[in-house]
Amino acid sequence: MTEAAFDLIIRGGRVATGSDVFEADVGISGETITAIGRGLSGAKREIDARGKFVLPGGVDTHCHIEQLSAAGIVNADTFESATTSAAFGGTTSVISFAAQHVGMSLPQVLEDYHALARKGAVIDYAFHMIIADPTKETLERDLPTMIKQGHGSIKIFMTYDRLRMDDEQLLDILIAARDGGAMLCAHAENHGIISWMVKRLLARGYTDPKYHAVSHARISEAEAFNRLIGMAALVDQPIMIFHVSTAEGAKVIRQARGEGLKVFAETCPQYLFMTAQDLDKPGIEGAKWMCSPPQRGVADQEALWQALMLGDLQTVSSDHAPYRFDETGKLRAGPSPNFKQIANGLPGLELRLPLLFDAMVSKGKLGLEKFVEITATAPAKIYNLHPRKGSVAIGADADIAIWDPQRRVTVSDAMMHDLTGYTPFAGRELQGWPVTVLSRGRVILEDGKLSATPGSGRFLARSGGEAAKPTGRLVAEMNPELNFGAKLL
Ligand code: DUC
Ligand code: ZN
Ligand code: ZN
């Protein structure tokens, strides 16, 4: 008996990459895509994909999973529940966070998060290292080692009392990222403006969740972006700006990129599909919609879509940061907290792709190739997971989501697979749904059932890669030819 050429053939679907859509069969051997063509034959198993789209599994590069916050709250999800919900939504790789807090050793932090992921993850994963305590040991001893061990990106905060880096610390971390060849990602908001607004709002009795949106004044975003970009340019270090929410923020990024700076940026579904009005609910209910930065206005949504179209923003991540609407999460400070006492964050891993598919493919905004690019290919490239992840291509991991473009779904709390207990997108009607999902050749989701075992996801070691390489352009103060010979980089 001759041996089958493939373990699996996905037959006759419309295959999409970031640049092309074509009808083809996809042949898979073991964990890898080994052929794309017409009339492939000889497989142990076939999946009929006629009438369906065959897309790369989503790559969600900003999600908080089983993460301890500075306030001592752990997200609602475990690696098992979060990655299960990701798989149900067509996502097959995540980058979550290993969060250092003050006093913690970075290697220990990474070991702890590795242990959680090894136990629970059903899809592949990597980590961004959050640096909140940039001691000499962390920056000079631990960080270089951790980057070499495959953690090619760092995240810092410019706001939050126990997390934020001041400008000098930020410059130290930018240099450490540069020396190690890692990407520097940032939550960039002006801390002073937000703190001042919070105090003023609370002192005048404005305590409801909706005032969270007021407290993060729009200028706090553009100001921090400008400052961060200026400091990154000073040391010639590429950066990724997380969760862009305002038109002004997008404009700052466009200008920087126009000047040739290596500034990458993402936005999230909450900024494309919601506005600050969503927080205006009776009583404390608006807490379910609270995230940081907050949702803005319709004009911002339009500006963000335009920025995606132009490439000023390259990716849409979920910023999955789930907190239950009870005493373990949003209501930790009691049943009637003021907005400052409520944890910021929304669940989003499961619906990121269906929301975007509905808008971009079913309703036609920017189209199928752009959907693939911003949800899979571009994030995989920026974080150096490509060509293994992010594309349907020969030699890539067989991480594939087969979408039924006709399936209509009304989103409900009950249908979600994370542990948040609610979704802020409940009630929305979406067209297009992932019906079969493969992770490294394994069919992990089929007929509405997940078959992957907890812990079967693998760690994706990666360096910073091409996106994290400096441009080589030095500002005058850093250029020995122009700074009287001082060697500063
Ligand atoms: N920032 C994030 O990136 N996620 C959740 C909350 C926050 O402030
Ligand atoms: Zn953030
Ligand atoms: Zn986040």
Side-chain angles (χ1 to χ4, degrees):
M1 209 170 79
T2 52
E3 214 173 289
F6 303 104
D7 291 308
L8 176 65
I9 290 175
I10 301 173
R11 173 86 61 205
R14 288 193 67 71
V15 178
T17 70
S19 55
D20 298 288
V21 183
F22 49 91
E23 204 173 293
D25 306 331
V26 177
I28 294 164
S29 308
E31 301 190 341
T32 310
I33 297 171
T34 49
I36 299 172
R38 299 232 168 112
L40 297 186
S41 65
K44 292 179 191 153
R45 184 185 168 188
E46 287 203 10
I47 294 176
D48 181 1
R50 283 171 300 172
K52 309 236 168 53
F53 290 147
V54 178
L55 311 184
V59 178
D60 194 339
T61 52
H62 180 166
C63 24
H64 303 265
I65 303 179
E66 239 172 316
Q67 186 182 324
L68 177 68
S69 79
I73 317 182
V74 180
N75 299 127
D77 275 316
T78 61
F79 269 88
E80 183 179 345
S81 61
T83 56
T84 294
S85 77
F88 271 96
T91 286
T92 51
S93 307
V94 289
I95 307 185
S96 61
F97 297 91
Q100 183 198 42
H101 293 287
V102 174
M104 289 183 179
S105 124
L106 190 61
Q108 184 63 52
V109 167
L110 277 158
E111 205 177 305
D112 293 347
Y113 282 93
H114 268 296
L116 295 170
R118 257 198 311 271
K119 181 164 159 248
V122 303
I123 57 171
D124 293 350
Y125 56 90
F127 297 109
H128 303 294
M129 300 177 286
I130 293 180
I131 303 296
D133 198 4
T135 59
K136 198 170 156 54
E137 291 72 32
T138 292
L139 293 186
E140 292 176 15
R141 186 190 63 199
D142 298 337
L143 200 53
T145 310
M146 297 300 109
I147 295 171
K148 283 199 193 92
Q149 287 181 6
H151 306 293
S153 50
I154 298 165
K155 179 189 184 183
I156 59 91
F157 288 85
M158 294 171 76
T159 184
Y160 293 124
D161 282 328
R162 288 184 290 265
L163 291 172
R164 75 192 166 104
M165 296 294 102
D166 64 28
D167 291 352
E168 282 188 54
Q169 291 172 315
L170 184 42
L171 282 163
D172 283 341
I173 297 172
L174 283 162
I175 285 285
R178 179 190 162 94
D179 291 346
M183 179 61 75
L184 189 287
C185 311
H187 178 128
E189 290 186 283
N190 178 300
H191 184 71
I193 294 172
I194 296 168
S195 301
W196 187 86
M197 288 292 284
V198 167
K199 281 187 210 141
R200 203 159 173 87
L201 283 157
L202 294 180
R204 292 171 187 220
Y206 302 113
T207 59
D208 290 348
K210 57 181 176 267
Y211 295 109
H212 165 66
V214 181
S215 71
H216 287 239
R218 318 170 56 86
I219 185 62
S220 65
E221 182 164 285
E223 188 284 329
F225 287 9
N226 256 317
R227 189 157 35 97
L228 172 67
I229 290 168
M231 287 189 280
L234 179 64
V235 300
D236 188 20
Q237 165 60 29
I239 53 171
M240 158 61 74
I241 300 184
F242 275 168
H243 45 49
V244 178
S245 68
T246 61
E248 297 91 315
K251 192 170 165 201
V252 169
I253 291 160
R254 179 170 312 154
Q255 185 174 346
R257 289 175 61 84
E259 289 167 6
L261 297 173
K262 262 177 126 172
V263 175
F264 301 92
E266 59 161 40
T267 189
C268 312
Q270 43 273 37
Y271 309 113
L272 295 169
F273 300 113
M274 294 178 181
T275 69
Q277 296 304 316
D278 284 297
L279 275 76
D280 190 7
K281 300 272 190 308
I284 202 70
E285 182 77 4
K288 291 181 180 174
W289 278 260
M290 275 179 65
C291 58
S292 204
Q295 299 86 341
R296 308 289 182 174
V298 171
D300 296 289
Q301 292 179 343
E302 283 163 11
L304 295 173
W305 280 113
Q306 193 190 29
L308 283 167
M309 179 187 72
L310 294 172
D312 302 322
L313 305 179
Q314 300 81 42
T315 76
V316 179
S317 72
S318 67
D319 196 1
H320 181 80
Y323 295 101
R324 292 183 62 79
F325 191 62
D326 64 21
E327 67 288 349
T328 67
K330 296 276 184 187
L331 306 182
R332 190 167 181 256
S336 311
N338 69 49
F339 69 84
K340 194 57 190 167
Q341 296 170 311
I342 299 170
N344 292 317
L346 313 174
L349 262 169
E350 189 160 350
L351 290 176
R352 176 184 73 121
L353 294 179
L355 285 160
L356 288 165
F357 188 100
D358 174 69
M360 299 182 71
V361 184
S362 304
K363 298 200 173 85
K365 202 165 193 147
L366 309 188
L368 180 58
E369 291 98 320
K370 192 75 177 174
F371 168 80
V372 170
E373 181 192 316
I374 67 171
T375 60
T377 316
K381 284 186 176 169
I382 291 170
Y383 294 107
N384 203 21
L385 294 170
H386 196 263
R388 259 186 84 184
K389 305 292 187 189
S391 198
V392 176
I394 293 173
D397 282 358
D399 284 12
I400 291 173
I402 303 175
W403 287 71
D404 179 348
Q406 304 304 333
R407 186 175 291 191
R408 290 173 181 274
V409 172
T410 303
V411 174
S412 69
D413 294 345
M415 63 186 278
M416 295 291 103
H417 295 86
D418 58 65
L419 300 179
T420 321
Y422 74 89
T423 166
F425 295 103
R428 297 195 188 225
E429 288 181 23
L430 304 177
Q431 183 181 339
W433 205 259
V435 288
T436 306
V437 176
L438 280 74
S439 164
R440 277 183 282 105
R442 305 169 296 157
V443 179
I444 59 168
L445 181 80
E446 203 172 20
D447 301 326
K449 288 197 189 70
L450 187 90
S451 57
T453 48
S456 58
R458 273 196 212 141
F459 171 60
L460 298 165
R462 68 210 159 86
S463 66
E466 193 56 40
K469 285 189 185 145
T471 64
R473 281 188 356 191
L474 300 182
V475 298
E477 296 85 348
M478 293 294 172
N479 185 345
E481 287 175 18
L482 300 170
N483 71 1
F484 313 107
K487 293 202 177 78
L488 300 175
L489 289 176

